[in-house]
C-alpha cells in the first residue's frame, strides 16, 4: 500500500519535470511572429525553432480574414494580422477600405467584386417585405421551397406559382413556396418597380425582400439572410429546398424521395448536384473570376447551381457556422465552405440536373420523369413542361 503511494508520487514528479522541460524548450525556441518570409535554417541564437513564422503578405485576402478570425482562439497568432492593418469594420456604415489598401491589385478587380470586398463584413440587412407568419408558413408547412429571384423576374415567379411552385399539399406533405429578393434601385439603372412590387406583394403574399442590392455577388448574403430568417420562422418545416427561379422542380418526386429516407438521413440532409475538386477560376474574363489575391487553393465539395435540398437541422448549423466565416462571393461555394467548417459533406443526388440537358433529351418527356430538378428553363418552357408532364395521355 505504502509502496504504491510512493510509486505514484515518483510518477507525478517525473511528469511535472517533463512538463517543465518541454515548456522551457518551447519558450526559448520561440520568437515573436514576424512578417519576415523565411524558409531558412531553423537555428536562431542556438535554439531550435519549432515553428516558422508565415509570410502573411503573400496570403490571399480570404485566408487572411480566416487567420484573423482564428486569432481570437489562438494566442500564438495574436497581432499577426493586425500588423497588416486588417480589421473588419464594426458597422455596416463603414466600408472595408483597409482591404482595398492592402490588396495591391484591388483597382484591377471587376467593379462588382470591388463592391463585394468593400461590404463583405456586413450581414445586417433588415427585412423590408415579409408575409404574415400564417401566410409564410400556412397549416404546418413541412417543405419550404425558397426561390432566389430578382425583382424584375416577375414572369419567372408567376410561372413557378402557376406550375411546380403551387402551395398546398403534395402527397402527404404540405408545401409552401416563398421568393427571396433584394433591392434593385433606380440609382443602379434599374426601372422603378415599386408599384408592381406592391401589387405582387398584396396579391401573393409570398415575398421576402431584404434591404441590400440584389446582385450576383450578393447571393451568399441572400442565402445567409434566409438561413437567419428560418431560425425564427416556420418551425414545422423540416425540409427546405433552396433554388433559382429558372429551374423546374418536380415537387412530387422530391416528396417521394424524402419520404423514403430514415429519420437520421433526413436530419443530416444536404443534397443536390455535388461538384468536387473545383478550383477558383483566375481568368478575369470568366463569370466566376476570382483573383489570386482574393482566394487560392481548391474549393470544398459543394452543391452546384439550380437547387439544394437541406434539413432544418443542417440549416441551423450552417447559419451558426456562417457567422464565423468571411463571406465568399459565389453562393454555392460559400455554403460548401460552411459545410466543411461543420465537418459535413454534401450528398450527391443524380436527380438534380443542374446543367442543360442534351437537345434530344428535351424532347423525351419520359426522361423528365426521372428528374427532381432541371435547370435553365424559361418561364414558357416551365409552363409547357408542366402541362406535358400532367397530360393524361403521357405514358411512360
Ligand atoms: C499599418 O498602419 C500603420 C499606421 O497607419 C502603418 O505605419 C503601417 O505601415 C501599416 N502596415 C502595413 C503593412 O500597411
Ligand atoms: C389551410 O387550412 C385552412 C383551413 O383548414 C384552409 O382554408 C386553407 O386553404 C389551407 N391553406 C393551405 C395553403 O392549404
Ligand atoms: C451588396 O449589397 C450591399 C448593400 O446594399 C451593397 O453595399 C454592396 O455593394 C452589394 N455588393 C455587391 C457585390 O453588389
Amino acid at each position: 500500500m505504502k509502496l504504491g503511494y510512493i510509486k505514484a508520487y515518483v510518477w507525478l514528479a517525473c511528469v511535472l519535470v517533463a512538463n517543465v522541460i518541454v515548456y522551457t524548450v518551447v519558450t526559448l525556441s520561440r520568437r515573436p511572429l514576424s512578417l519576415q518570409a523565411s524558409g531558412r535554417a531553423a537555428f536562431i541564437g542556438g535554439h531550435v525553432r519549432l515553428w516558422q513564422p508565415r509570410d502573411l503578405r503573400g496570403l490571399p485576402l480570404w485566408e487572411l480574414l480566416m487567420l484573423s478570425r482564428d486569432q481570437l482562439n489562438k494566442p500564438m497568432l495574436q497581432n499577426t494580422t493586425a500588423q497588416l492593418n486588417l480589421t473588419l469594420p464594426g458597422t455596416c456604415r463603414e466600408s472595408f477600405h483597409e482591404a482595398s489598401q492592402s490588396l495591391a491589385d484591388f483597382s484591377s478587380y471587376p467593379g462588382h467584386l470591388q463592391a463585394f470586398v468593400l461590404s463583405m463584413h456586413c450581414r445586417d440587412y433588415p427585412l423590408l417585405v415579409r408575409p404574415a407568419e400564417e401566410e409564410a408558413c400556412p397549416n404546418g408547412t413541412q417543405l419550404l421551397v425558397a426561390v432566389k429571384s430578382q425583382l424584375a423576374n416577375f414572369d419567372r415567379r408567376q410561372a413557378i406559382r402557376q406550375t411546380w411552385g403551387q402551395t398546398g399539399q403534395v402527397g402527404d406533405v404540405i408545401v409552401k413556396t416563398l421568393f427571396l429578393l433584394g433591392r434593385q434601385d433606380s440609382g443602379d439603372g434599374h426601372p422603378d418597380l415599386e408599384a408592381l412590387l406592391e401589387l405582387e406583394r398584396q396579391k401573393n403574399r409570398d415575398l421576402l425582400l431584404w434591404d441590400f442590392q440584389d446582385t450576383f455577388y450578393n447571393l451568399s448574403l441572400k442565402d445567409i439572410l434566409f438561413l437567419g430568417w428560418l431560425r425564427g420562422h416556420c418551425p414545422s418545416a423540416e425540409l427546405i429546398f433552396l433554388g433559382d427561379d429558372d429551374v423546374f422542380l418536380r415537387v412530387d418526386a422530391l416528396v417521394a424521395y424524402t419520404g423514403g429516407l430514415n429519420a437520421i438521413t433526413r436530419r443530416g440532409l444536404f443534397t443536390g448536384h455535388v461538384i468536387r475538386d473545383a478550383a477558383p477560376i483566375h481568368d478575369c474574363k470568366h463569370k466566376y473570376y476570382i483573383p489570386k489575391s482574393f482566394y487560392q487553393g481548391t474549393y470544398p465539395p459543394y452543391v452546384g447551381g439550380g437547387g439544394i435540398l437541406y434539413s432544418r437541422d443542417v440549416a441551423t448549423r450552417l447559419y451558426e457556422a456562417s457567422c464565423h466565416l468571411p463571406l465568399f462571393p459565389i453562393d454555392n461555394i460559400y455554403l460548401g465552405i460552411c459545410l466543411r467548417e461543420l465537418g459535413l459533406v454534401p450528398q450527391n443526388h443524380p436527380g438534380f440536373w443542374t446543367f442543360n440537358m442534351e437537345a434530344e433529351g428535351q424532347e423525351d418527356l419520359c426522361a423528365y420523369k426521372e428528374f427532381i430538378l432541371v435547370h435553365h428553363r424559361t418561364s414558357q418552357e416551365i409552363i409547357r413542361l408542366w402541362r406535358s408532364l400532367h397530360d393524361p395521355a403521357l405514358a411512360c
Side-chain angles (χ1 to χ4, degrees):
M1 192 65 182
K2 261 230 159 94
L3 198 66
Y5 273 124
I6 291 170
K7 265 189 183 166
Y9 280 130
V10 169
W11 265 111
L12 205 63
C14 287
V15 168
L16 280 175
V17 169
N19 273 329
V20 169
I21 289 172
V22 168
Y23 175 81
T24 313
V25 168
V26 168
T27 314
L28 287 179
S29 64
R30 181 177 174 179
R31 294 187 324 149
L33 278 170
S34 80
L35 297 178
Q36 233 83 109
S38 170
R40 282 182 296 110
F43 279 93
I44 303 283
H47 302 293
V48 178
R49 197 145 46 88
L50 294 183
W51 52 78
Q52 315 236 332
R54 294 177 75 180
D55 182 2
L56 296 177
R57 285 170 309 181
L59 286 184
L61 179 66
W62 199 86
E63 206 171 315
L64 277 174
L65 291 173
M66 283 293 280
L67 269 180
S68 81
R69 172 200 78 150
D70 288 345
Q71 264 180 41
L72 299 173
N73 347 354
K74 297 186 190 136
M76 205 187 104
L77 292 169
Q78 224 131 53
N79 293 327
T80 50
T81 49
Q83 288 171 60
L84 287 174
N85 295 338
L86 265 185
T87 339
L88 286 168
T91 73
C92 289
R93 278 191 299 279
E94 299 163 68
S95 282
F96 187 21
H97 283 303
E98 289 168 10
S100 62
Q101 282 150 15
S102 75
L103 287 167
D105 59 348
F106 184 76
S107 59
S108 75
Y109 279 28
H112 54 295
L113 202 52
Q114 291 190 2
F116 171 82
V117 170
L118 291 176
S119 67
M120 67 186 287
H121 57 291
C122 183
R123 302 145 182 249
D124 200 11
Y125 296 102
L127 190 55
L128 298 178
V129 173
R130 72 179 101 191
E133 184 63 19
E134 64 274 16
E135 283 152 347
C137 188
N139 296 358
T141 300
Q142 289 148 296
L143 169 65
L144 201 58
V145 173
V147 180
K148 288 192 266 187
S149 188
Q150 286 192 324
L151 212 46
N153 296 350
F154 174 77
D155 63 324
R156 297 193 189 173
R157 291 194 289 282
Q158 195 55 26
I160 291 171
R161 287 185 193 112
Q162 289 178 13
T163 58
W164 63 262
Q166 287 171 15
T167 289
Q169 192 152 349
V170 177
D172 53 358
V173 170
I174 299 170
V175 183
K176 170 71 190 182
T177 302
L178 293 171
F179 295 94
L180 314 181
L181 303 167
R183 296 165 60 130
Q184 294 195 309
D185 291 344
S186 54
D188 293 325
H190 293 288
D192 182 356
L193 301 176
E194 276 294 312
L196 193 59
L197 170 69
E198 181 54 24
L199 201 66
E200 188 184 356
R201 185 189 69 79
Q202 285 179 12
K203 189 162 182 303
N204 301 292
R205 301 176 189 275
D206 57 3
L207 304 178
L208 294 176
L209 186 148
W210 285 270
D211 189 9
F212 68 90
Q213 291 305 318
D214 203 347
T215 58
F216 181 63
Y217 278 176
N218 262 346
L219 285 175
S220 310
L221 187 60
K222 194 182 267 186
D223 283 5
I224 61 167
L225 285 169
F226 171 65
L227 289 173
W229 178 86
L230 202 56
R231 280 171 16 124
H233 296 87
C234 209
S236 59
E238 228 191 280
L239 293 171
I240 295 100
F241 170 84
L242 176 73
D244 295 345
D245 63 3
D246 60 347
V247 303
F248 187 98
L249 178 70
R250 285 198 41 231
V251 180
D252 53 343
L254 191 78
V255 165
Y257 162 65
T258 55
L261 299 174
N262 66 41
I264 293 172
T265 314
R266 274 167 77 98
R267 209 175 311 130
L269 208 59
F270 188 97
T271 188
H273 176 90
V274 174
I275 297 169
R276 285 175 211 283
D277 303 321
I281 296 167
H282 297 311
D283 168 9
C284 65
K285 290 186 200 71
H286 199 276
K287 181 184 178 193
Y288 294 106
Y289 168 57
I290 294 294
K292 282 188 175 149
S293 63
F294 185 79
Y295 185 92
Q296 286 179 28
T298 54
Y299 291 142
Y302 65 95
V303 167
I308 308 173
L309 176 68
Y310 52 74
S311 70
R312 166 169 291 274
D313 234 54
V314 171
T316 307
R317 295 170 67 192
L318 281 173
Y319 180 77
E320 285 158 6
S322 78
C323 296
H324 310 291
L325 292 168
L327 277 177
F328 194 82
I330 305 171
D331 53 346
N332 300 317
I333 292 168
Y334 185 61
L335 288 183
I337 290 171
C338 296
L339 272 188
R340 179 179 60 186
E341 181 75 5
L342 295 169
L344 302 177
V345 279
Q347 303 119 31
N348 189 56
H349 191 298
F352 284 73
W353 199 258
T354 64
F355 299 108
N356 221 342
M357 273 173 81
E358 299 296 319
E360 68 262 34
Q362 291 199 31
E363 303 305 314
D364 178 12
L365 277 171
C366 291
Y368 279 98
K369 286 241 160 191
E370 311 272 303
F371 291 125
I372 287 182
L373 175 135
V374 244
H375 199 186
H376 302 306
R377 291 290 171 273
T378 64
S379 345
Q380 210 177 4
E381 283 167 343
I382 284 176
I383 290 173
R384 284 190 184 146
L385 187 53
W386 176 260
R387 285 193 187 141
S388 312
L389 285 174
H390 288 77
D391 183 352
L394 179 67
C396 296

